[in-house]
């Protein structure tokens, strides 16, 4: 089939949509900005709630999508609107004429150094959820000192639900990620005390509540209801965390060897750049705006342009994959109708 | 008659008996007061908390639970330094809120 289908972003959303389109007999084109496929999931270690190895998901998708036209290290330089199609100029000099684009540009992890009071980038014992996944994968992070791990803390809602960080949204996946990572740390350091500082626990998905119960009963993770207000360093290089324990109504203070900030999901600048080029609107939460947030998340307000995955808001892996499949079918039906 | 024990007043909160009028007035003046998610950041940064127990979180909750007297007593320790306003993740102007509470609940303060 001759029809060009351009997929912008080679994360799991772009890859899954490409696999489905290949099965339907098309030859989609994937444009990926970085030097590898898989997006964020390629950086994760194990996925909640069943601890599925992220690498397995990504490598299966990559091998299934191998027959697509894949451009790595490539971005869109500009887009010209033609009569009823678009002319896309790529950074590698290739130009493509298409009437169908699937935007799968995903999200960014909130830059935790913007929350100065948490000391990311200042204190050596403060890392993010993303750094911890990297450490699970590689064992390489000088900030994680295996030999002295007596107390570990997780701070929920970093850069989410926070008007001071200009993001009042809940990032949805970080509560369950904190539960997952807390369990993993307790498995690695059974003697350590592990604390989660939360305001509300959002266990919305299949088996998440079971995961939370297991964190409490089987692993003894301490959940403290209060937002961390301040982090400082003491003389022996540990960090002191302060909060109000709102359930007892008393201030709490605890000294930790490692503090993990649950940085949230925000719309990536690369997504907004693409949105600007094709004149796609942004929603009030900063993510790309769908035609309808209930009935039609996959359609953009522009004809021939579709979305899948975390470019329209925080999503889990199964949600992203489901949207990618739905988008492939939508594109197929769109082509059939013409 | 001495039963060897005395009846103490119930500590339960009876929402049927809470005076909601003043809080409604406060809400008109400070619509953001309902945005509080009780995270405790204000309390944790408050310099008056350590010695007096002052807590904006408890003030906001207490006024909605018919605990005006306790709240007013607590508020006398506020130095209006504004640190709580700087940390509130819901962007509530807590310092301004405290001033409005003083104005609206002024009589109870005497
Ligand atoms: C710390 C953390 C842990 C998580 N753990 C889990 C988990 O255990 N289980 C789970 O279900 N979910 C988890 N998630 C959510 C999961 O990461 C997302 O659901 C998933 O990454 C969404 O995939 P995506 O393809 O939509 O976006 P992304 O993964 O962000 O991929 C987008 C891709 O598009 C590329 N791109 C962006 N802009 C452009 C452009 N302009 N041109 C070309 N390419 C571009 C990017 O380089 C990237 O490769 C986690 C999220 C976080 C933050
Ligand atoms: S999912 Fe949990 S940690 Fe993440 S923003 Fe929402 S409430 Fe906060
Ligand atoms: S303004 Fe009052 S309540 Fe707020 S931090 Fe200062 S002393 Fe505490
Ligand atoms: S910091 Fe703001 S949201 Fe948090 S308890 Fe205080 S007033 Fe409420």
């Amino acid at each position: 089939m001759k029809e060009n289908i351009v997929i912008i972003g080679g994360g799991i959303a772009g890859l899954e949509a490409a696999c489905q389109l290949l099965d339907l007999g098309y030859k989609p084109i994937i444009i990926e900005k970085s030097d590898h496929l898989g997006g964020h999931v390629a950086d994760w270690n194990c996925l909640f709630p069943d601890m599925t190895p992220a690498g397995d998901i990504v490598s299966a998708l990559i091998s299934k999508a191998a027959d697509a036209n894949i451009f790595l290290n490539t971005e869109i330089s500009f887009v010209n609107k033609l009569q009823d199609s678009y002319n896309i100029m790529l950074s590698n000099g290739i130009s493509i004429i298409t009437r169908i684009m699937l935007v799968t540009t995903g999200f960014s992890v909130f830059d935790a150094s913007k929350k100065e009071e948490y000391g990311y980038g200042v204190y050596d014992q403060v890392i993010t959820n993303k750094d911890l996944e990297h450490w699970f994968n590689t064992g390489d992070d000088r900030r994680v000192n295996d030999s002295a791990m007596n107390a570990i803390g997780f701070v929920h809602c970093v850069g989410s639900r926070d008007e001071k960080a200009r993001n009042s949204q809940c990032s949805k996946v970080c509560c369950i990620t904190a539960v997952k990572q807390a369990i993993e740390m307790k498995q690695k350091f059974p003697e350590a005390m592990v604390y989660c500082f939360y305001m509300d626990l959002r266990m919305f998905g299949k088996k998440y509540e079971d995961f939370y119960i297991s964190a409490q009963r089987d692993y003894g993770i301490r959940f403290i209801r209060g937002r961390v207000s301040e982090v400082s360093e003491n003389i022996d290089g540990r960090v002191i965390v302060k909060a109000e324990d709102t359930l007892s109504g008393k201030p709490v203070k605890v000294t930790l060897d490692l503090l993990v900030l649950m940085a949230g999901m925000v719309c990536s600048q690369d997504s907004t750049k693409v949105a600007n080029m094709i004149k796609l609107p942004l929603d009030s939460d900063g993510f790309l705006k769908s035609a309808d947030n209930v009935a039609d998340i996959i359609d953009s307000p522009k004809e021939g342009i579709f979305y899948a995955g975390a470019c329209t808001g925080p999503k889990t892996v199964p949600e992203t994959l489901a949207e990618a499949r739905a988008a492939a079918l939508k594109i197929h039906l769109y082509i059939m109708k013409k | 008659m001495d039963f060897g024990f005395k009846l103490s007043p119930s500590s339960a909160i009876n929402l049927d008996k809470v005076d909601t009028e003043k809080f409604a007035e406060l809400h008109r003046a400070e619509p953001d007061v309902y945005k509080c998610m009780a995270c405790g950041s204000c309390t944790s940064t408050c310099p008056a908390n350590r010695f007096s127990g002052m807590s904006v979180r408890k003030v906001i909750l207490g006024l909605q639970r018919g605990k005006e007297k306790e709240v007013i007593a607590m508020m006398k320790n506020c130095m209006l330094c504004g640190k709580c306003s700087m940390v509130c993740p819901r962007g509530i102007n807590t310092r301004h809120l405290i001033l409005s509470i003083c104005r609206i609940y002024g009589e109870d303060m005497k």
Side-chain angles (χ1 to χ4, degrees):
Chain A
M1 281 180 239
K2 278 214 314 286
E3 187 86 43
N4 273 338
I5 303 167
V6 175
I7 299 176
I8 311 168
I12 55 161
L15 287 171
E16 175 66 31
C19 293
Q20 303 289 329
L21 289 165
L22 284 165
D23 280 350
L24 287 163
Y26 302 97
K27 187 135 176 110
I29 302 162
I30 301 180
I31 301 163
E32 170 55 51
K33 184 181 161 262
S34 74
D35 61 0
H36 65 275
L37 296 168
H40 283 97
V41 181
D43 296 335
W44 309 151
N45 180 245
C46 287
L47 303 176
F48 56 75
D50 286 345
M51 302 308 263
T52 317
D56 293 359
I57 303 274
V58 171
S59 52
L61 284 172
I62 292 176
S63 66
K64 270 182 70 193
D67 287 336
N69 279 317
I70 299 171
F71 296 111
L72 294 178
N73 300 303
T74 307
E75 275 183 89
I76 297 177
S77 301
F78 57 84
V79 179
N80 282 328
K81 177 92 180 75
L82 308 172
Q83 188 73 38
D84 47 23
S85 60
Y86 295 89
N87 180 12
I88 303 177
M89 190 56 154
L90 302 183
S91 55
N92 60 10
I94 293 173
S95 87
I96 306 165
I97 307 264
T98 181
R99 55 191 189 102
I100 300 161
M101 280 188 255
L102 175 61
V103 181
T104 51
T105 47
F107 68 100
S108 287
V109 176
F110 174 79
D111 174 7
S113 63
K114 286 189 189 156
K115 291 297 297 172
E116 283 175 33
E117 61 270 41
Y118 294 153
Y120 183 68
V122 180
Y123 305 130
D124 258 356
Q125 309 75 8
V126 182
I127 67 171
T128 62
N129 42 5
K130 185 180 174 187
D131 299 334
L132 190 59
E133 289 297 317
H134 181 78
W135 182 73
F136 287 149
N137 274 328
T138 63
D140 176 27
D141 192 324
R142 56 172 188 84
R143 293 169 296 187
V144 187
N145 179 3
D146 308 41
S147 59
M149 199 60 87
N150 299 311
I152 305 164
F154 290 83
V155 184
H156 290 228
C157 308
V158 175
S160 311
R161 309 181 68 200
D162 185 353
E163 295 190 9
K164 299 272 151 54
R166 298 184 171 196
N167 180 24
S168 56
Q169 301 305 315
C170 163
S171 294
K172 187 164 113 169
V173 302
C174 20
C175 271
I176 181 69
T177 302
V179 165
K180 181 196 79 119
Q181 294 185 335
I183 289 177
E184 287 173 293
M185 288 309 266
K186 190 75 185 175
Q187 286 169 340
K188 287 187 199 302
F189 305 103
E191 302 303 318
M193 293 292 288
V194 181
Y195 304 94
C196 285
F197 292 89
Y198 72 98
M199 298 188 273
D200 299 286
L201 285 173
R202 300 195 161 161
M203 298 294 145
F204 62 93
K206 183 177 163 71
K207 285 168 53 176
Y208 292 7
E209 188 70 11
D210 292 344
F211 214 24
Y212 169 37
I213 293 170
S214 169
Q216 295 178 292
R217 189 194 52 203
D218 306 332
Y219 293 94
I221 313 285
R222 305 291 206 277
F223 289 87
I224 298 177
R225 193 188 176 284
R227 184 168 174 270
V228 170
S229 67
E230 189 186 314
V231 177
S232 56
E233 200 175 31
N234 73 4
I235 36 170
D236 36 81
R238 302 174 80 203
V239 282
I240 301 168
V241 166
K242 283 188 188 153
E244 186 198 8
D245 174 15
T246 59
L247 297 181
S248 66
K250 294 278 186 297
V252 281
K253 181 177 106 168
V254 62
T255 311
L256 303 171
D257 300 292
L258 187 70
L259 184 67
V260 187
L261 307 179
M262 303 314 293
M265 290 169 86
V266 292
C267 187
S268 78
Q269 288 192 335
D270 295 316
S271 292
T272 33
K273 227 164 95 184
V274 169
N276 283 336
M277 283 192 247
I278 357 185
K279 303 205 166 50
L280 295 167
L282 296 182
D283 211 338
S284 57
D285 61 358
F287 285 90
L288 304 192
K289 189 173 168 58
S290 298
D292 187 290
N293 283 331
V294 176
D296 220 349
I297 8 174
I298 282 152
D299 270 322
S300 83
K302 289 233 144 120
E303 159 136 26
I305 301 187
F306 304 92
Y307 301 129
C311 59
T312 54
K315 306 263 158 77
T316 63
V317 169
E319 288 167 343
T320 300
L321 295 176
E323 281 186 17
R325 286 168 205 140
L329 183 61
K330 272 228 147 153
I331 290 170
H332 173 61
L333 296 172
Y334 181 75
I335 293 169
M336 290 323 225
K337 257 196 264 165
K338 292 269 154 151
Chain B
M1 209 185 294
D2 184 7
F3 292 105
F5 62 88
K6 55 183 198 281
L7 292 169
S8 47
S10 166
S11 63
I13 294 164
N14 184 348
L15 290 180
D16 299 335
K17 290 198 174 144
V18 169
D19 171 14
T20 53
E21 235 157 72
K22 275 198 172 143
F23 198 81
E25 191 184 339
L26 179 63
H27 180 233
R28 279 192 293 278
E30 303 280 344
D32 278 358
V33 67
Y34 274 138
K35 278 167 73 183
C36 175
M37 59 176 159
C39 72
S41 299
C42 47
T43 315
S44 182
T45 38
C46 174
N49 175 260
R50 257 144 288 170
F51 62 84
S52 73
M54 171 60 195
S55 159
V56 179
R57 177 184 71 76
K58 286 185 187 169
V59 166
I60 294 174
L61 183 69
L63 293 179
Q64 296 175 82
R65 297 288 186 271
K67 306 250 179 225
E68 288 85 355
K69 277 213 181 78
E70 288 156 52
V71 163
I72 300 307
M74 186 194 280
M75 274 177 57
K76 292 203 166 118
N77 300 298
C78 172
M79 304 173 286
L80 289 175
C81 70
K83 277 184 94 178
C84 49
S85 306
M86 288 163 64
V87 295
C88 176
R90 281 280 162 93
I92 304 171
N93 186 341
T94 45
R95 189 178 180 277
H96 199 266
L97 173 71
I98 291 166
L99 292 172
S100 296
I101 295 171
C102 291
R103 182 169 55 76
I104 292 163
Y105 292 83
E107 269 168 46
D108 310 82
M109 296 199 130
K110 278 170 206 151

